[in-house]
Amino acid sequence: MALSVFLAAPCLPGTARAELPEPADFTVEYFVTDEAGDRVRTMTEKDHLQFLNRARCQCGQQVGIDLRMVNPSEDNARQLRGFIGTQCAVAETALAGQFRRCGELFAELIPALAAGVTGAFHPLFLASGVDPTSPSRGIHLSDTRLSSASCDTPITGEAGLWMCSPSENAFSGCQQDEFFIGPTDALSGLSGIPRLAFDFQPPLVQATDLTVEPGNGAVELSWNVPTSGDIQGYRVLCEEVDGGAAPGLDFPAPAATDAPDGQAYFTAGNLCGDQPFSTVDVVAPEVTDPNTCGNGVVEAGEACDDGLDNADDGLCDRSCNLRVSPSLHALDWAHVCSDHIPFSATSVVIDGLDNGKTYNFVLVPHDLVGNPRAHAHVVTATPDESLPDLLPSEAEGCACTSSAEGHGLFVMSLGTLALLALRRRR
């Protein structure tokens, strides 16, 4: 995908617009940070498009930025300003419009930019502008308060660095035609200034008709796949019904600094627990129907509230009581009992289970950037040694793949399923 661009505006003779710097005068590089905010690695183009999900926003995993002016002018008294956000040029002057003013990255003279500027910002600055009542707007200042959009708001978009050169006139700050860098699509790819995609929205599409069949030391889950949608793949989570213990199959959890591969999901609990890497002050959204089970907000007297996903056979029932352990409901990675399952698969066998124990199973679709949404229905099964083996042997042409160091996940190909069906008919 092409990267971000020079914000085109008509050149007006006799104004400061004709004297604006060019995007080619700057080099800009984003980088991945760790829990301490330290630089780990330079972001790739894939990171630009797939790294920023809801969990990383909730954990406040900051995005680092390096900027340098490589072709500085001789006007050392000239100030340039940089912002992080969406539609910064419009929001800077249209204070009562759709967009709020962006967080400020820097306000520096030419010599400082020639030496280089480095900063880091909370991912929410890409999606949310500064609240009009905020006492400051610096991305590094703790009293900067963002408007009502939060990491829990299901929003996607592209944003990034904007730069302007304020002229000496009767107007304070930057005017819209004084911006010369912005992540718009108008001339995509011409400037080499990267834009960042953010996606805080879990999959909208659900798999359907989820069933489970027990076997000898294993179970087989089956479902139907939507014809289209934003599901990249699946994981299966499981626990013992008695006590909620995870089966201990030891699938490695993804790390916060991993490059995106589309094969894992992320939650704030798995990524940072109850210790976010950084925080930002946000105007709390108003709850329009308080004290209501089903509004998606856990309130007094509720153990859970999954909104429209509350169900009598769900993770959270219609009375906002948990039907599974709190850790399974939170999609704790310790409960993962399958490798990545591709979107096109409609069946998976979970092996390595104890006969005689009853297990809960939850299918978790996730999107390309790793936002999960648990399937609304929990299925339960009890493996038993008297039941058939669910995994074909190698002699029967098994085209299975094993993972998690022999703990027994096998994702079946369509050919394997046909062989298995033939075997059962025999």
Side-chain angles (χ1 to χ4, degrees), residues 3-38:
L3 298 180
S4 103
V5 299
F6 173 60
L7 180 62
C11 293
L12 303 178
T15 72
R17 178 65 187 90
E19 302 172 0
L20 291 176
E22 297 289 339
D25 295 335
F26 300 86
T27 61
V28 177
E29 183 178 84
Y30 294 111
F31 57 89
V32 174
T33 68
D34 60 15
E35 62 273 10
D38 296 330

PDB file of all heavy atoms in Angstrom, residues 3-38:
ATOM      1  N   LEU A   3       2.287   5.038   0.764  1.00  0.00           N
ATOM      2  CA  LEU A   3       2.424   5.763   2.006  1.00  0.00           C
ATOM      3  C   LEU A   3       1.911   7.184   1.841  1.00  0.00           C
ATOM      4  O   LEU A   3       1.418   7.601   0.810  1.00  0.00           O
ATOM      5  CB  LEU A   3       3.885   5.743   2.461  1.00  0.00           C
ATOM      6  CG  LEU A   3       4.421   4.344   2.741  1.00  0.00           C
ATOM      7  CD1 LEU A   3       5.866   4.424   3.183  1.00  0.00           C
ATOM      8  CD2 LEU A   3       3.576   3.654   3.783  1.00  0.00           C
ATOM      9  N   SER A   4       2.084   7.980   2.953  1.00  0.00           N
ATOM     10  CA  SER A   4       1.405   9.253   3.026  1.00  0.00           C
ATOM     11  C   SER A   4       2.043  10.354   2.202  1.00  0.00           C
ATOM     12  O   SER A   4       3.015  10.155   1.517  1.00  0.00           O
ATOM     13  CB  SER A   4       1.287   9.636   4.469  1.00  0.00           C
ATOM     14  OG  SER A   4       2.193  10.580   4.837  1.00  0.00           O
ATOM     15  N   VAL A   5       1.460  11.561   2.250  1.00  0.00           N
ATOM     16  CA  VAL A   5       1.648  12.451   1.149  1.00  0.00           C
ATOM     17  C   VAL A   5       1.764  13.906   1.489  1.00  0.00           C
ATOM     18  O   VAL A   5       1.499  14.333   2.584  1.00  0.00           O
ATOM     19  CB  VAL A   5       0.447  12.377   0.216  1.00  0.00           C
ATOM     20  CG1 VAL A   5       0.269  11.031  -0.326  1.00  0.00           C
ATOM     21  CG2 VAL A   5      -0.727  12.879   0.927  1.00  0.00           C
ATOM     22  N   PHE A   6       2.092  14.622   0.456  1.00  0.00           N
ATOM     23  CA  PHE A   6       2.091  16.077   0.515  1.00  0.00           C
ATOM     24  C   PHE A   6       0.666  16.580   0.383  1.00  0.00           C
ATOM     25  O   PHE A   6      -0.071  16.184  -0.494  1.00  0.00           O
ATOM     26  CB  PHE A   6       2.946  16.582  -0.645  1.00  0.00           C
ATOM     27  CG  PHE A   6       2.917  18.058  -0.843  1.00  0.00           C
ATOM     28  CD1 PHE A   6       3.338  18.910   0.140  1.00  0.00           C
ATOM     29  CD2 PHE A   6       2.490  18.580  -2.044  1.00  0.00           C
ATOM     30  CE1 PHE A   6       3.330  20.267  -0.068  1.00  0.00           C
ATOM     31  CE2 PHE A   6       2.498  19.942  -2.252  1.00  0.00           C
ATOM     32  CZ  PHE A   6       2.914  20.796  -1.264  1.00  0.00           C
ATOM     33  N   LEU A   7       0.265  17.441   1.314  1.00  0.00           N
ATOM     34  CA  LEU A   7      -1.079  17.990   1.296  1.00  0.00           C
ATOM     35  C   LEU A   7      -1.145  19.116   0.270  1.00  0.00           C
ATOM     36  O   LEU A   7      -0.590  20.194   0.486  1.00  0.00           O
ATOM     37  CB  LEU A   7      -1.452  18.507   2.691  1.00  0.00           C
ATOM     38  CG  LEU A   7      -2.851  19.110   2.820  1.00  0.00           C
ATOM     39  CD1 LEU A   7      -3.890  18.046   2.503  1.00  0.00           C
ATOM     40  CD2 LEU A   7      -3.051  19.676   4.200  1.00  0.00           C
ATOM     41  N   ALA A   8      -1.817  18.860  -0.842  1.00  0.00           N
ATOM     42  CA  ALA A   8      -1.832  19.838  -1.927  1.00  0.00           C
ATOM     43  C   ALA A   8      -2.712  21.020  -1.579  1.00  0.00           C
ATOM     44  O   ALA A   8      -3.778  20.885  -1.003  1.00  0.00           O
ATOM     45  CB  ALA A   8      -2.340  19.176  -3.200  1.00  0.00           C
ATOM     46  N   ALA A   9      -2.261  22.187  -1.949  1.00  0.00           N
ATOM     47  CA  ALA A   9      -3.059  23.398  -1.803  1.00  0.00           C
ATOM     48  C   ALA A   9      -2.629  24.354  -2.907  1.00  0.00           C
ATOM     49  O   ALA A   9      -1.469  24.354  -3.317  1.00  0.00           O
ATOM     50  CB  ALA A   9      -2.853  24.033  -0.432  1.00  0.00           C
ATOM     51  N   PRO A  10      -3.514  25.178  -3.390  1.00  0.00           N
ATOM     52  CA  PRO A  10      -3.145  26.088  -4.485  1.00  0.00           C
ATOM     53  C   PRO A  10      -2.102  27.078  -4.031  1.00  0.00           C
ATOM     54  O   PRO A  10      -2.095  27.551  -2.901  1.00  0.00           O
ATOM     55  CB  PRO A  10      -4.480  26.769  -4.822  1.00  0.00           C
ATOM     56  CG  PRO A  10      -5.305  26.633  -3.583  1.00  0.00           C
ATOM     57  CD  PRO A  10      -4.914  25.337  -2.981  1.00  0.00           C
ATOM     58  N   CYS A  11      -1.158  27.395  -4.921  1.00  0.00           N
ATOM     59  CA  CYS A  11      -0.131  28.381  -4.633  1.00  0.00           C
ATOM     60  C   CYS A  11      -0.716  29.766  -4.880  1.00  0.00           C
ATOM     61  O   CYS A  11      -1.171  30.073  -5.992  1.00  0.00           O
ATOM     62  CB  CYS A  11       1.096  28.163  -5.513  1.00  0.00           C
ATOM     63  SG  CYS A  11       1.952  26.622  -5.143  1.00  0.00           S
ATOM     64  N   LEU A  12      -0.706  30.597  -3.865  1.00  0.00           N
ATOM     65  CA  LEU A  12      -1.278  31.921  -3.987  1.00  0.00           C
ATOM     66  C   LEU A  12      -0.145  32.945  -4.099  1.00  0.00           C
ATOM     67  O   LEU A  12       0.645  33.108  -3.170  1.00  0.00           O
ATOM     68  CB  LEU A  12      -2.144  32.241  -2.764  1.00  0.00           C
ATOM     69  CG  LEU A  12      -3.269  31.234  -2.511  1.00  0.00           C
ATOM     70  CD1 LEU A  12      -4.029  31.624  -1.250  1.00  0.00           C
ATOM     71  CD2 LEU A  12      -4.211  31.177  -3.698  1.00  0.00           C
ATOM     72  N   PRO A  13       0.004  33.628  -5.211  1.00  0.00           N
ATOM     73  CA  PRO A  13       1.092  34.584  -5.387  1.00  0.00           C
ATOM     74  C   PRO A  13       1.078  35.644  -4.292  1.00  0.00           C
ATOM     75  O   PRO A  13       0.027  36.136  -3.889  1.00  0.00           O
ATOM     76  CB  PRO A  13       0.816  35.198  -6.770  1.00  0.00           C
ATOM     77  CG  PRO A  13      -0.047  34.174  -7.462  1.00  0.00           C
ATOM     78  CD  PRO A  13      -0.857  33.518  -6.396  1.00  0.00           C
ATOM     79  N   GLY A  14       2.277  35.973  -3.808  1.00  0.00           N
ATOM     80  CA  GLY A  14       2.379  37.027  -2.814  1.00  0.00           C
ATOM     81  C   GLY A  14       2.109  36.573  -1.404  1.00  0.00           C
ATOM     82  O   GLY A  14       2.038  37.399  -0.503  1.00  0.00           O
ATOM     83  N   THR A  15       1.873  35.295  -1.171  1.00  0.00           N
ATOM     84  CA  THR A  15       1.626  34.798   0.174  1.00  0.00           C
ATOM     85  C   THR A  15       2.762  33.888   0.572  1.00  0.00           C
ATOM     86  O   THR A  15       3.577  33.462  -0.226  1.00  0.00           O
ATOM     87  CB  THR A  15       0.302  34.011   0.226  1.00  0.00           C
ATOM     88  OG1 THR A  15       0.482  32.777  -0.453  1.00  0.00           O
ATOM     89  CG2 THR A  15      -0.832  34.784  -0.407  1.00  0.00           C
ATOM     90  N   ALA A  16       2.740  33.491   1.889  1.00  0.00           N
ATOM     91  CA  ALA A  16       3.785  32.616   2.421  1.00  0.00           C
ATOM     92  C   ALA A  16       3.639  31.195   1.891  1.00  0.00           C
ATOM     93  O   ALA A  16       4.547  30.391   2.010  1.00  0.00           O
ATOM     94  CB  ALA A  16       3.733  32.611   3.945  1.00  0.00           C
ATOM     95  N   ARG A  17       2.487  30.870   1.273  1.00  0.00           N
ATOM     96  CA  ARG A  17       2.257  29.502   0.817  1.00  0.00           C
ATOM     97  C   ARG A  17       3.306  29.043  -0.182  1.00  0.00           C
ATOM     98  O   ARG A  17       3.754  27.906  -0.167  1.00  0.00           O
ATOM     99  CB  ARG A  17       0.857  29.390   0.207  1.00  0.00           C
ATOM    100  CG  ARG A  17       0.536  28.008  -0.339  1.00  0.00           C
ATOM    101  CD  ARG A  17       0.492  27.020   0.805  1.00  0.00           C
ATOM    102  NE  ARG A  17       0.353  25.657   0.308  1.00  0.00           N
ATOM    103  CZ  ARG A  17       1.347  24.868   0.009  1.00  0.00           C
ATOM    104  NH1 ARG A  17       2.597  25.310   0.114  1.00  0.00           N
ATOM    105  NH2 ARG A  17       1.131  23.627  -0.387  1.00  0.00           N
ATOM    106  N   ALA A  18       3.749  29.964  -1.067  1.00  0.00           N
ATOM    107  CA  ALA A  18       4.728  29.602  -2.095  1.00  0.00           C
ATOM    108  C   ALA A  18       6.101  29.322  -1.498  1.00  0.00           C
ATOM    109  O   ALA A  18       6.953  28.755  -2.164  1.00  0.00           O
ATOM    110  CB  ALA A  18       4.822  30.715  -3.122  1.00  0.00           C
ATOM    111  N   GLU A  19       6.328  29.732  -0.262  1.00  0.00           N
ATOM    112  CA  GLU A  19       7.624  29.571   0.362  1.00  0.00           C
ATOM    113  C   GLU A  19       7.659  28.413   1.348  1.00  0.00           C
ATOM    114  O   GLU A  19       8.621  28.275   2.103  1.00  0.00           O
ATOM    115  CB  GLU A  19       7.998  30.874   1.082  1.00  0.00           C
ATOM    116  CG  GLU A  19       8.030  32.083   0.158  1.00  0.00           C
ATOM    117  CD  GLU A  19       8.198  33.389   0.917  1.00  0.00           C
ATOM    118  OE1 GLU A  19       8.287  33.334   2.168  1.00  0.00           O
ATOM    119  OE2 GLU A  19       8.243  34.443   0.272  1.00  0.00           O
ATOM    120  N   LEU A  20       6.630  27.616   1.377  1.00  0.00           N
ATOM    121  CA  LEU A  20       6.595  26.503   2.326  1.00  0.00           C
ATOM    122  C   LEU A  20       7.666  25.463   1.990  1.00  0.00           C
ATOM    123  O   LEU A  20       8.005  25.266   0.818  1.00  0.00           O
ATOM    124  CB  LEU A  20       5.226  25.826   2.295  1.00  0.00           C
ATOM    125  CG  LEU A  20       4.051  26.639   2.847  1.00  0.00           C
ATOM    126  CD1 LEU A  20       2.748  25.877   2.647  1.00  0.00           C
ATOM    127  CD2 LEU A  20       4.254  26.972   4.316  1.00  0.00           C
ATOM    128  N   PRO A  21       8.207  24.791   3.006  1.00  0.00           N
ATOM    129  CA  PRO A  21       9.133  23.686   2.731  1.00  0.00           C
ATOM    130  C   PRO A  21       8.440  22.582   1.942  1.00  0.00           C
ATOM    131  O   PRO A  21       7.207  22.548   1.826  1.00  0.00           O
ATOM    132  CB  PRO A  21       9.527  23.200   4.129  1.00  0.00           C
ATOM    133  CG  PRO A  21       9.193  24.326   5.047  1.00  0.00           C
ATOM    134  CD  PRO A  21       8.013  25.017   4.440  1.00  0.00           C
ATOM    135  N   GLU A  22       9.219  21.689   1.405  1.00  0.00           N
ATOM    136  CA  GLU A  22       8.707  20.544   0.667  1.00  0.00           C
ATOM    137  C   GLU A  22       8.843  19.287   1.531  1.00  0.00           C
ATOM    138  O   GLU A  22       9.769  19.177   2.345  1.00  0.00           O
ATOM    139  CB  GLU A  22       9.497  20.349  -0.631  1.00  0.00           C
ATOM    140  CG  GLU A  22       9.377  21.490  -1.611  1.00  0.00           C
ATOM    141  CD  GLU A  22       8.006  21.558  -2.254  1.00  0.00           C
ATOM    142  OE1 GLU A  22       7.297  20.526  -2.248  1.00  0.00           O
ATOM    143  OE2 GLU A  22       7.630  22.634  -2.768  1.00  0.00           O
ATOM    144  N   PRO A  23       7.952  18.304   1.367  1.00  0.00           N
ATOM    145  CA  PRO A  23       8.115  17.041   2.103  1.00  0.00           C
ATOM    146  C   PRO A  23       9.469  16.383   1.861  1.00  0.00           C
ATOM    147  O   PRO A  23      10.012  15.726   2.747  1.00  0.00           O
ATOM    148  CB  PRO A  23       6.968  16.186   1.556  1.00  0.00           C
ATOM    149  CG  PRO A  23       5.932  17.181   1.142  1.00  0.00           C
ATOM    150  CD  PRO A  23       6.697  18.355   0.615  1.00  0.00           C
ATOM    151  N   ALA A  24      10.033  16.589   0.667  1.00  0.00           N
ATOM    152  CA  ALA A  24      11.331  15.990   0.361  1.00  0.00           C
ATOM    153  C   ALA A  24      12.458  16.582   1.203  1.00  0.00           C
ATOM    154  O   ALA A  24      13.566  16.033   1.243  1.00  0.00           O
ATOM    155  CB  ALA A  24      11.646  16.163  -1.123  1.00  0.00           C
ATOM    156  N   ASP A  25      12.170  17.682   1.903  1.00  0.00           N
ATOM    157  CA  ASP A  25      13.181  18.288   2.770  1.00  0.00           C
ATOM    158  C   ASP A  25      13.323  17.541   4.094  1.00  0.00           C
ATOM    159  O   ASP A  25      14.189  17.908   4.904  1.00  0.00           O
ATOM    160  CB  ASP A  25      12.818  19.753   3.071  1.00  0.00           C
ATOM    161  CG  ASP A  25      12.852  20.623   1.831  1.00  0.00           C
ATOM    162  OD1 ASP A  25      13.574  20.263   0.879  1.00  0.00           O
ATOM    163  OD2 ASP A  25      12.160  21.661   1.807  1.00  0.00           O
ATOM    164  N   PHE A  26      12.495  16.497   4.318  1.00  0.00           N
ATOM    165  CA  PHE A  26      12.466  15.826   5.613  1.00  0.00           C
ATOM    166  C   PHE A  26      12.572  14.308   5.443  1.00  0.00           C
ATOM    167  O   PHE A  26      12.123  13.751   4.436  1.00  0.00           O
ATOM    168  CB  PHE A  26      11.155  16.135   6.353  1.00  0.00           C
ATOM    169  CG  PHE A  26      10.946  17.595   6.610  1.00  0.00           C
ATOM    170  CD1 PHE A  26      10.351  18.410   5.657  1.00  0.00           C
ATOM    171  CD2 PHE A  26      11.352  18.164   7.808  1.00  0.00           C
ATOM    172  CE1 PHE A  26      10.159  19.762   5.892  1.00  0.00           C
ATOM    173  CE2 PHE A  26      11.164  19.514   8.048  1.00  0.00           C
ATOM    174  CZ  PHE A  26      10.565  20.317   7.087  1.00  0.00           C
ATOM    175  N   THR A  27      13.158  13.682   6.427  1.00  0.00           N
ATOM    176  CA  THR A  27      13.068  12.234   6.561  1.00  0.00           C
ATOM    177  C   THR A  27      12.274  11.943   7.825  1.00  0.00           C
ATOM    178  O   THR A  27      12.483  12.584   8.866  1.00  0.00           O
ATOM    179  CB  THR A  27      14.454  11.579   6.661  1.00  0.00           C
ATOM    180  OG1 THR A  27      15.134  12.070   7.826  1.00  0.00           O
ATOM    181  CG2 THR A  27      15.269  11.851   5.424  1.00  0.00           C
ATOM    182  N   VAL A  28      11.340  10.997   7.724  1.00  0.00           N
ATOM    183  CA  VAL A  28      10.484  10.636   8.859  1.00  0.00           C
ATOM    184  C   VAL A  28      10.479   9.126   8.985  1.00  0.00           C
ATOM    185  O   VAL A  28      10.300   8.404   7.995  1.00  0.00           O
ATOM    186  CB  VAL A  28       9.044  11.154   8.661  1.00  0.00           C
ATOM    187  CG1 VAL A  28       8.148  10.697   9.809  1.00  0.00           C
ATOM    188  CG2 VAL A  28       9.034  12.670   8.554  1.00  0.00           C
ATOM    189  N   GLU A  29      10.671   8.655  10.209  1.00  0.00           N
ATOM    190  CA  GLU A  29      10.703   7.213  10.459  1.00  0.00           C
ATOM    191  C   GLU A  29       9.973   6.924  11.750  1.00  0.00           C
ATOM    192  O   GLU A  29      10.229   7.547  12.781  1.00  0.00           O
ATOM    193  CB  GLU A  29      12.162   6.749  10.564  1.00  0.00           C
ATOM    194  CG  GLU A  29      12.353   5.262  10.744  1.00  0.00           C
ATOM    195  CD  GLU A  29      13.831   4.903  10.793  1.00  0.00           C
ATOM    196  OE1 GLU A  29      14.414   5.005  11.897  1.00  0.00           O
ATOM    197  OE2 GLU A  29      14.389   4.544   9.735  1.00  0.00           O
ATOM    198  N   TYR A  30       9.020   5.992  11.706  1.00  0.00           N
ATOM    199  CA  TYR A  30       8.336   5.533  12.917  1.00  0.00           C
ATOM    200  C   TYR A  30       9.048   4.290  13.446  1.00  0.00           C
ATOM    201  O   TYR A  30       9.615   3.511  12.675  1.00  0.00           O
ATOM    202  CB  TYR A  30       6.876   5.192  12.619  1.00  0.00           C
ATOM    203  CG  TYR A  30       6.021   6.391  12.231  1.00  0.00           C
ATOM    204  CD1 TYR A  30       5.543   6.526  10.927  1.00  0.00           C
ATOM    205  CD2 TYR A  30       5.679   7.354  13.172  1.00  0.00           C
ATOM    206  CE1 TYR A  30       4.758   7.618  10.570  1.00  0.00           C
ATOM    207  CE2 TYR A  30       4.892   8.438  12.824  1.00  0.00           C
ATOM    208  CZ  TYR A  30       4.436   8.568  11.523  1.00  0.00           C
ATOM    209  OH  TYR A  30       3.657   9.648  11.181  1.00  0.00           O
ATOM    210  N   PHE A  31       8.999   4.098  14.761  1.00  0.00           N
ATOM    211  CA  PHE A  31       9.618   2.909  15.324  1.00  0.00           C
ATOM    212  C   PHE A  31       8.769   2.315  16.442  1.00  0.00           C
ATOM    213  O   PHE A  31       7.964   3.011  17.081  1.00  0.00           O
ATOM    214  CB  PHE A  31      11.050   3.177  15.812  1.00  0.00           C
ATOM    215  CG  PHE A  31      11.208   4.284  16.830  1.00  0.00           C
ATOM    216  CD1 PHE A  31      11.117   4.018  18.197  1.00  0.00           C
ATOM    217  CD2 PHE A  31      11.482   5.580  16.427  1.00  0.00           C
ATOM    218  CE1 PHE A  31      11.286   5.028  19.134  1.00  0.00           C
ATOM    219  CE2 PHE A  31      11.655   6.599  17.365  1.00  0.00           C
ATOM    220  CZ  PHE A  31      11.550   6.323  18.720  1.00  0.00           C
ATOM    221  N   VAL A  32       8.932   1.000  16.657  1.00  0.00           N
ATOM    222  CA  VAL A  32       8.226   0.248  17.690  1.00  0.00           C
ATOM    223  C   VAL A  32       8.934   0.460  19.017  1.00  0.00           C
ATOM    224  O   VAL A  32      10.168   0.433  19.092  1.00  0.00           O
ATOM    225  CB  VAL A  32       8.190  -1.251  17.334  1.00  0.00           C
ATOM    226  CG1 VAL A  32       7.595  -2.070  18.481  1.00  0.00           C
ATOM    227  CG2 VAL A  32       7.399  -1.471  16.047  1.00  0.00           C
ATOM    228  N   THR A  33       8.160   0.672  20.087  1.00  0.00           N
ATOM    229  CA  THR A  33       8.729   0.833  21.419  1.00  0.00           C
ATOM    230  C   THR A  33       8.317  -0.333  22.308  1.00  0.00           C
ATOM    231  O   THR A  33       7.324  -1.020  22.061  1.00  0.00           O
ATOM    232  CB  THR A  33       8.272   2.140  22.075  1.00  0.00           C
ATOM    233  OG1 THR A  33       6.868   2.069  22.350  1.00  0.00           O
ATOM    234  CG2 THR A  33       8.547   3.328  21.166  1.00  0.00           C
ATOM    235  N   ASP A  34       9.078  -0.541  23.396  1.00  0.00           N
ATOM    236  CA  ASP A  34       8.743  -1.571  24.363  1.00  0.00           C
ATOM    237  C   ASP A  34       7.918  -0.970  25.497  1.00  0.00           C
ATOM    238  O   ASP A  34       7.481   0.194  25.423  1.00  0.00           O
ATOM    239  CB  ASP A  34      10.009  -2.257  24.886  1.00  0.00           C
ATOM    240  CG  ASP A  34      10.971  -1.292  25.569  1.00  0.00           C
ATOM    241  OD1 ASP A  34      10.554  -0.157  25.907  1.00  0.00           O
ATOM    242  OD2 ASP A  34      12.143  -1.669  25.770  1.00  0.00           O
ATOM    243  N   GLU A  35       7.741  -1.745  26.582  1.00  0.00           N
ATOM    244  CA  GLU A  35       6.887  -1.297  27.682  1.00  0.00           C
ATOM    245  C   GLU A  35       7.442  -0.043  28.370  1.00  0.00           C
ATOM    246  O   GLU A  35       6.689   0.719  28.990  1.00  0.00           O
ATOM    247  CB  GLU A  35       6.690  -2.413  28.705  1.00  0.00           C
ATOM    248  CG  GLU A  35       7.959  -2.896  29.388  1.00  0.00           C
ATOM    249  CD  GLU A  35       8.669  -3.980  28.600  1.00  0.00           C
ATOM    250  OE1 GLU A  35       8.288  -4.219  27.437  1.00  0.00           O
ATOM    251  OE2 GLU A  35       9.584  -4.604  29.158  1.00  0.00           O
ATOM    252  N   ALA A  36       8.755   0.189  28.263  1.00  0.00           N
ATOM    253  CA  ALA A  36       9.361   1.374  28.865  1.00  0.00           C
ATOM    254  C   ALA A  36       9.374   2.560  27.918  1.00  0.00           C
ATOM    255  O   ALA A  36       9.833   3.648  28.295  1.00  0.00           O
ATOM    256  CB  ALA A  36      10.787   1.047  29.314  1.00  0.00           C
ATOM    257  N   GLY A  37       8.893   2.365  26.700  1.00  0.00           N
ATOM    258  CA  GLY A  37       8.916   3.435  25.715  1.00  0.00           C
ATOM    259  C   GLY A  37      10.217   3.544  24.955  1.00  0.00           C
ATOM    260  O   GLY A  37      10.417   4.497  24.194  1.00  0.00           O
ATOM    261  N   ASP A  38      11.118   2.578  25.141  1.00  0.00           N
ATOM    262  CA  ASP A  38      12.403   2.606  24.452  1.00  0.00           C
ATOM    263  C   ASP A  38      12.289   2.013  23.053  1.00  0.00           C
ATOM    264  O   ASP A  38      11.478   1.112  22.807  1.00  0.00           O
ATOM    265  CB  ASP A  38      13.455   1.825  25.248  1.00  0.00           C
ATOM    266  CG  ASP A  38      13.740   2.455  26.599  1.00  0.00           C
ATOM    267  OD1 ASP A  38      13.618   3.691  26.712  1.00  0.00           O
ATOM    268  OD2 ASP A  38      14.057   1.716  27.551  1.00  0.00           O
TER     269      ASP A  38
END
